[in-house]
Amino acid sequence: MQIGTSWRFGTPIPDAVPQAFHSEILAIESSLTGKENNYWKLTSLEGQPRVALGNTVTLLLSDTGAVERLDPDAANTTALQRNAADEDDDWI
């Protein structure tokens, strides 16, 4: 089951978003331009919260409580490596 919320780039972060994401979201918003018409989306899949700004960046909250950043331009991030390792678990 997947649940979540969304909000427009540059607007106040909803209360439903875990506090751990707030500083990273604000840092990303201050460094990006031209995304004002995009939306952040908070989802939680299998208990793992994630926040995404379109295809630009995704933030994950790890099991240890650390925020991991998935950046399409940084293919060697820890979270990307972990997700790539999970690709083979599609079993019946």
Side-chain angles (χ1 to χ4, degrees):
M1 186 168 131
Q2 190 170 359
I3 58 172
T5 189
S6 64
W7 69 101
R8 186 181 289 274
F9 180 95
T11 61
I13 300 170
D15 293 336
V17 177
Q19 189 68 35
F21 288 124
H22 288 214
S23 61
E24 188 71 22
I25 290 169
L26 294 173
I28 291 167
E29 287 188 350
S30 68
S31 69
L32 292 177
T33 59
K35 301 292 180 188
E36 292 78 16
N37 291 326
N38 289 331
Y39 284 83
W40 287 98
K41 293 182 182 157
L42 167 69
T43 58
S44 182
L45 184 60
E46 296 180 2
Q48 183 182 31
R50 72 175 50 205
V51 175
L53 179 62
N55 293 329
T56 305
V57 65
T58 299
L59 304 174
L60 303 173
L61 192 57
S62 72
D63 295 337
T64 63
V67 175
E68 299 177 5
R69 182 173 174 165
L70 293 161
D71 189 335
D73 297 329
N76 60 353
T77 64
T78 303
L80 283 175
Q81 291 171 352
R82 188 186 71 226
N83 287 345
D86 289 343
E87 291 294 325
D88 64 330
D89 65 356
D90 296 332
W91 53 274
I92 298 176

